[in-house]
Amino acid sequence: FKDQLKKYFNLNVEYARNPISKIPNNYVFTIDNYFKMILLDVKLSLKIPVVLLGETGCGKTLLLETLSIISGKTLKTLNVHAGITEKDVFSFMEGVINQNNLSDFWIFFDEINTSNAIGLIEEIMINQSMRGIPISNELTFIAACNPYKKKNIKNETKRYGLINKKAFKNQDLVYNVLPLPLSLNNFICNFGSLLQEDENSYIEQMIKQIKMQEEDEVLDDNLKKIASKLIEHCQLYLRNNYEVSSVSLRDVRRFGI
């Protein structure tokens, strides 16, 4: 896939100076993320705002970081959470705007729908302004978010007694997030959840790269196959009996720590 990316991005330079060489060796390339990269590149090259929507651990952030390396762009990230305020967003953007060569930057708002500042972020991405004050049109904006959806109630433990409904208003959601503003819906790139065959492919590639901690030797091929199959079955069991989001590729990465 690296050779295909070189052709697509026209990276006809020696490997030492090639952005491809800067990609971490443990990044797993599959058909799935190859086509996602191409789709994102087309949108971002036209400076179209992009909202990456998908289950936790499906590779949204890591894919974007890898694509920024290949494209030679500097990724400026604001990790959004419930404690982020509009003041924090203003401070972050002011730090970016004061940079030179703004076209070389990609602005990334991660977990956009976890904060009440989402309205300001929406204005920045769509209108390229902050509270009516225009900002540079050279900037490219990307956001990532988890879906706003309810839990599978049949597998949830029932709550008894008096319940503060206001305090527990988001307890029936899979993720503690806010609904996206309608204007951002047109810019969603839906990662969804990985197809089983794609996830299996990721798992196999990730297990292949695991080395023995003591002697720095790679795992025996048979052990790799057994480990991969065990993880695949465990992931599938947990998803079938709980939520789709109950396990992800992040859990697979922990296997190699």
Side-chain angles (χ1 to χ4, degrees):
F1 291 107
K2 288 187 177 182
D3 290 335
Q4 295 298 323
L5 286 172
K6 286 180 186 178
K7 292 178 181 178
Y8 176 80
F9 288 97
N10 195 27
L11 300 174
N12 297 319
V13 294
E14 60 186 72
Y15 188 76
R17 293 168 48 230
N18 196 313
I20 297 287
S21 66
K22 299 178 182 178
I23 298 174
N25 291 329
N26 61 353
Y27 185 76
V28 178
F29 278 99
T30 65
I31 293 176
D32 176 65
N33 59 17
Y34 172 73
F35 282 107
K36 285 175 179 175
M37 280 188 182
I38 303 302
L39 173 63
L40 288 181
D41 180 71
V42 171
K43 291 176 178 288
L44 297 177
S45 63
L46 297 173
K47 294 197 176 299
I48 298 173
V50 173
V51 178
L52 307 178
L53 174 68
E55 302 287 347
T56 183
C58 71
K60 303 183 294 293
T61 302
L62 191 55
L63 184 145
L64 182 62
E65 290 173 348
T66 304
L67 182 58
S68 69
I69 293 173
I70 297 172
S71 302
K73 300 294 184 180
T74 300
L75 193 65
K76 292 286 187 179
T77 303
L78 177 63
N79 292 308
V80 182
H81 51 78
I84 290 290
T85 64
E86 290 192 355
K87 183 178 179 181
D88 297 318
V89 177
F90 267 103
S91 178
F92 169 75
M93 287 303 302
E94 286 171 355
V96 172
I97 292 170
N98 292 329
Q99 302 283 335
N100 296 321
N101 302 318
L102 292 180
S103 59
D104 292 336
F105 292 91
W106 285 353
I107 312 304
F108 179 43
F109 298 104
D110 199 7
E111 308 293 352
I112 183 179
N113 57 343
T114 56
S115 168
N116 288 325
I118 189 171
L120 176 59
I121 297 174
E122 172 199 13
E123 180 189 354
I124 292 171
M125 294 184 66
I126 306 299
N127 300 333
Q128 294 189 323
S129 66
M130 294 192 296
R131 289 295 173 255
I133 302 173
I135 57 178
S136 174
N137 58 7
E138 295 182 42
L139 293 169
T140 302
F141 296 101
I142 311 107
C145 64
N146 295 131
Y148 182 87
K149 65 178 184 179
K150 290 188 175 183
K151 294 177 181 177
N152 187 355
I153 302 299
K154 67 178 182 180
N155 290 321
E156 288 298 304
T157 302
K158 293 183 179 180
R159 294 191 292 267
Y160 297 96
L162 297 176
I163 298 173
N164 185 337
K165 291 187 177 181
K166 185 176 181 181
F168 286 89
K169 63 180 180 180
N170 288 336
Q171 290 299 300
D172 290 334
L173 298 177
V174 174
Y175 305 101
N176 190 17
V177 296
L178 303 169
L180 279 179
L182 292 177
S183 60
L184 288 177
N185 288 346
N186 294 325
F187 302 98
I188 287 177
C189 181
N190 195 348
F191 275 43
S193 54
L194 293 172
L195 296 175
Q196 190 62 49
E197 58 184 32
D198 288 330
E199 183 174 68
N200 293 348
S201 177
Y202 279 112
I203 292 172
E204 289 173 9
Q205 293 299 321
M206 293 165 80
I207 296 300
K208 283 180 182 178
Q209 294 170 358
I210 293 177
K211 296 183 178 181
M212 302 294 284
Q213 292 182 353
E214 295 181 357
E215 301 178 359
D216 202 34
E217 294 180 357
V218 295
L219 289 172
D220 176 80
D221 286 342
N222 288 330
L223 284 177
K224 290 178 185 176
K225 291 179 181 178
I226 293 171
S228 297
K229 292 298 180 184
L230 283 173
I231 293 172
E232 289 170 15
H233 285 294
C234 288
Q235 301 270 79
L236 188 59
Y237 173 82
L238 289 169
R239 286 208 181 93
N240 288 340
N241 288 276
Y242 298 95
E243 288 293 333
V244 172
S245 58
S246 59
V247 287
S248 70
L249 291 176
R250 289 176 184 167
D251 302 296
V252 183
R253 292 192 185 94
R254 294 189 187 103
F255 183 85
I257 294 176

